Amino acid sequence: MPYKIVSEECTNCAACETECPNDAINEKKSMFRIDGALCSECIGYFDEPQCIAVCPIPDCIVIDEKLPRYAA
Amino acid sequence: MPPKVIPIFAPQAAQTSGCGAKGGSGKSSCGSSAAPGDMSPEVWAKVKDHPCYSEQAHHHFARMHIAVAPACNIQCNYCNRKYDCANESRPGVVSEKLTPEMAAKKVLAVAAEIPQLSVVGIAGPGDALANPQKTFHTFNLIQQAAPDIKLCLSTNGLALPDHVQAIADLNVDHVTITINMLDPEVGELIYPWIFYNHKRWTGRDAAKILTERQMLGLEMLTAKGILVKVNSVMIPGVNDRHLAEVNKAVKSRGAFLHNIMPLISDPAHGTHYGLTGQRGPAPQELKALQDSCEGGMNLMRHCRQCRADAVGLLGEDRGAEFTSDKIAAMDIAYDPKPRQAYRSYVERERRDQEAARASELAAMAGQAGGDKVLVAVTTKGGSRINEHFGHASEFQIYELSGAGAKFVGHRKVEHYCQGGWGEEEILEDVTAAIKDCAAVFVSRIGLCPRKDLAAAGIEAVDAYAHEYIESSLIAWFRQRLEKDQPVAATAA
Ligand code: SF4
Ligand code: SF4
């Protein structure tokens, strides 16, 4: 659940969208958003969150403090 | 706004003359496939209409980049993808993202407007193969909509081995790979990270993986007969000494062309290199490296480092005429006839030019000795001296010697004619840009700039206005030799 995209930082490059194993990332009205209900922090799939690993902008994808951490 | 290229399109000239035409070198050959120099006819057939692959073609043909590939899988220190500034003109930068459907329509719109269009490429703004679905879907649509247009793509090579088959299936016959190093110790200074196999890799590991994938991809492409151009960015103090080794490695793996480009570095671009003060090479440094790599392989010297959405002949960008709004409002039908007519016209022009060049060269035979001289030319395209000095935004530089006229590069300048203000300063910059040239060939030039150039030792020549570049340069060089005038500047 816990990742979110800081939209002021995002370049809309869409790199993260294709890497997400849960299809949690989508573009709506030229803004990329992570669906908190779908994001599993990549746990169970990969060693590191794919969206963060591929995103060209540092600190563009961060923990969403408002949501509880994902528990497998 | 760059100056518009006036199409030198002459439909009445578009009659195909069949086989049996004399090739320029005096050898009898079959018209269109007459390959210059040591290029095989098969290779010439692939590159002759491609402005980015053939120095010869870049005078006549236009290319277009479509920006359908925003994502990238590596980070380079010379790239900052965050800002999109309309005033910028460099690779990796684009004004507007396109869907594959919009892109295909844009291709049709441009093709209808510019008969010189021969190639459509996907070069970014990210990496064409980091967006394989978008890239290949777009190519499919274009191939259906306009089958006479050639397709090409540019990639950093990381994902390349996975897509070689798809590239071959789509008849993409040109691929460009950017290869800046082989040595991981050099690579870690250029690439902060790569994303590969679901993992972010840094340092030498990243560089090592990237090199392995690039070499594998290059070998797979050349094994399929696909022409590969290798781009390298020359970064002084980082990879400048290393690029000769890169040149050998890509040559031995069958790359067709090596394009060594200067690093573009400016703090305002916000790139790592820009912000840390890494400088780009001086034109003389670049030329020295290019000269040392020449031999056994074509080296490209006419690259203009266009934007990822550039439209037009190399050196011009008409992208602003084809924005999404404008295209959406257009009603476009596919009609390859003007392009076919234009291509036939170019074939004829080329034969004429080659014949003129060969006869001038024959007339000069034996006279030049070891003399060499650099000259500058202003042109709007078509291999003719057809631009007013004051309107030139770049100069093409040729080296004249007993071997003829060799294109060695281009120098960009600000337009001298700005409408009154600041002209003196600009003229000084222009003069500095071509200070190593003995003459500048123009279609016209004003009295004042002519005097100022003469004061700097540069002769302004307008006697060959609107004539072919190469034959004119050789004729001028020959006359100089005959007068036995010592040449004012010698080639570096
Ligand atoms: S952390 Fe993984 S699951 Fe969550 S949005 Fe990013 S890629 Fe998708
Ligand atoms: S990878 Fe980063 S910059 Fe690109 S769309 Fe996703 S969040 Fe935005």
Side-chain angles (χ1 to χ4, degrees):
Chain A
M1 295 190 178
Y3 285 101
K4 65 170 183 185
I5 293 172
V6 182
S7 42
E8 303 83 65
E9 296 291 328
C10 175
T11 67
N12 291 355
C13 78
C16 54
E17 186 184 20
T18 37
E19 297 302 333
C20 176
N22 291 314
D23 246 335
I25 309 179
N26 280 299
E27 183 179 10
K28 280 199 194 85
K29 294 189 188 132
S30 334
M31 291 248 280
F32 280 83
R33 285 195 55 242
I34 294 174
D35 183 338
L38 294 176
C39 171
S40 71
E41 299 179 36
C42 281
I43 290 166
Y45 295 94
F46 302 110
D47 293 342
E48 52 190 312
Q50 297 294 290
C51 53
I52 296 181
V54 77
C55 178
I57 309 297
D59 303 322
C60 174
I61 302 176
V62 296
I63 299 277
D64 190 342
E65 305 285 0
K66 292 205 286 291
L67 295 171
R69 296 300 299 250
Y70 179 80
Chain B
M1 261 297 279
K4 274 200 192 166
V5 164
I6 297 166
I8 39 129
F9 179 46
Q12 72 279 11
Q15 291 141 2
T16 37
S17 38
C19 289
K22 287 267 181 193
S25 49
K27 284 176 288 191
S28 180
S29 58
C30 183
S32 62
S33 63
D38 45 9
M39 221 180 268
S40 77
E42 299 80 58
V43 171
W44 174 239
K46 282 186 183 168
V47 303
K48 70 188 168 75
D49 299 347
H50 197 311
C52 303
Y53 279 73
S54 155
E55 194 278 307
Q56 225 286 326
H58 97 279
H59 290 287
H60 300 287
F61 288 101
R63 53 80 187 94
M64 159 178 190
H65 289 165
I66 37 176
V68 293
C72 197
N73 47 10
I74 71 177
Q75 177 76 49
C76 307
N77 278 334
Y78 50 75
C79 181
N80 173 9
R81 306 267 320 291
K82 203 163 173 185
Y83 299 102
D84 170 37
C85 164
N87 294 320
E88 264 184 89
S89 156
R90 62 189 169 90
V93 175
V94 55
S95 293
E96 180 178 55
K97 252 189 313 181
L98 284 176
T99 63
E101 286 71 21
M102 280 303 292
K105 190 165 182 202
K106 181 171 176 179
V107 170
L108 278 184
V110 172
E113 192 66 27
I114 305 179
Q116 291 98 327
L117 184 74
S118 61
V119 186
V120 171
I122 297 179
D127 187 83
L129 298 178
N131 303 261
Q133 294 88 351
K134 287 174 190 153
T135 293
F136 291 123
H137 183 42
T138 306
F139 277 159
N140 261 317
L141 292 173
I142 295 170
Q143 211 167 49
Q144 283 160 24
D148 71 306
I149 304 279
K150 281 183 199 288
L151 305 174
C152 71
L153 65 85
S154 290
T155 176
N156 59 48
L158 182 59
L160 179 57
D162 305 336
H163 301 293
V164 169
Q165 191 56 48
I167 290 169
D169 290 346
L170 271 163
N171 295 321
V172 175
D173 52 11
H174 305 85
V175 172
T176 301
I177 316 175
T178 302
I179 302 180
N180 295 319
M181 54 87 210
L182 305 167
D183 181 347
E185 281 182 39
V186 176
E188 71 176 340
L189 303 174
I190 304 173
Y191 304 104
W193 57 264
I194 68 169
F195 181 79
Y196 177 64
N197 226 346
H198 302 293
K199 194 167 146 38
R200 181 180 280 212
W201 305 74
T202 57
R204 294 179 196 181
D205 293 341
K208 205 161 159 279
I209 294 169
L210 182 59
T211 302
E212 281 166 15
R213 301 285 290 173
Q214 288 173 332
M215 294 301 138
L216 176 62
L218 169 57
E219 286 166 6
M220 290 169 73
L221 286 173
T222 53
K224 286 204 181 295
I226 296 166
L227 289 183
V228 181
K229 173 171 70 136
V230 171
N231 277 349
S232 298
V233 181
M234 178 183 180
I235 311 159
V238 175
N239 70 349
D240 48 345
R241 283 150 198 264
H242 183 52
L243 283 180
E245 220 175 294
V246 172
N247 180 261
K248 276 195 214 111
V250 302
K251 207 186 282 184
S252 73
R253 286 172 177 79
F256 161 72
L257 195 67
H258 193 191
N259 175 25
I260 300 176
M261 313 180 289
L263 170 71
I264 302 174
S265 178
D266 183 331
H269 295 157
T271 62
H272 175 79
Y273 283 150
L275 295 171
T276 55
Q278 168 68 49
R279 70 175 180 94
Q284 290 76 10
E285 289 176 293
L286 179 67
K287 183 170 183 298
L289 176 62
Q290 289 174 335
D291 287 349
S292 78
C293 289
E294 207 160 54
M297 187 189 185
N298 301 296
L299 206 70
M300 173 164 170
R301 296 170 188 265
H302 62 275
C303 178
R304 304 298 202 285
Q305 297 177 288
C306 10
R307 290 165 59 106
D309 60 350
V311 173
L313 293 162
L314 290 187
E316 68 159 2
D317 189 352
R318 295 177 57 178
E321 295 167 52
F322 300 99
T323 57
S324 295
D325 313 353
K326 290 181 191 163
I327 295 163
M330 290 179 192
D331 184 19
I332 317 135
Y334 171 64
D335 178 12
K337 277 190 232 63
R339 290 190 295 284
Q340 282 157 2
Y342 179 73
R343 281 169 211 163
S344 317
Y345 162 73
V346 169
E347 290 296 344
R348 233 184 69 140
E349 276 278 293
R350 276 177 165 156
R351 279 196 295 272
D352 283 2
Q353 293 184 3
E354 180 50 26
R357 190 190 71 87
S359 82
E360 286 297 341
L361 198 57
M364 183 175 70
Q367 286 183 52
D371 277 353
K372 269 190 187 177
V373 60
L374 289 184
V375 296
V377 176
T378 60
T379 175
K380 288 192 278 219
S383 281
R384 288 173 187 266
I385 302 165
N386 53 7
E387 178 111 281
H388 189 300
F389 176 77
H391 300 162
S393 56
E394 67 170 38
F395 293 95
Q396 300 199 349
I397 310 295
Y398 284 80
E399 187 177 87
L400 305 181
S401 71
K406 182 171 113 181
F407 176 83
V408 293
H410 61 94
R411 313 247 170 99
K412 284 196 178 151
V413 292
E414 293 224 36
H415 297 204
Y416 164 62
C417 277
Q418 298 271 8
W421 49 272
E423 291 194 348
E424 277 309 313
E425 292 76 41
I426 293 172
L427 184 58
E428 267 173 40
D429 290 348
V430 171
T431 311
I434 57 170
K435 66 173 187 293
D436 50 352
C437 295
V440 54
F441 290 73
V442 299
S443 68
R444 288 190 65 184
I445 183 166
L447 219 52
C448 289
R450 181 192 288 275
K451 273 195 206 139
D452 288 353
L453 284 168
I458 304 167
E459 182 191 350
V461 183
D462 57 4
Y464 300 94
H466 301 286
E467 293 185 26
Y468 296 142
I469 295 175
E470 291 201 18
S471 54
S472 303
L473 298 186
I474 299 169
W476 175 85
F477 188 51
R478 178 168 57 85
Q479 279 166 22
R480 261 189 103 96
L481 293 168
E482 277 166 7
K483 275 188 258 161
D484 205 21
Q485 233 176 303
V487 277
T490 32

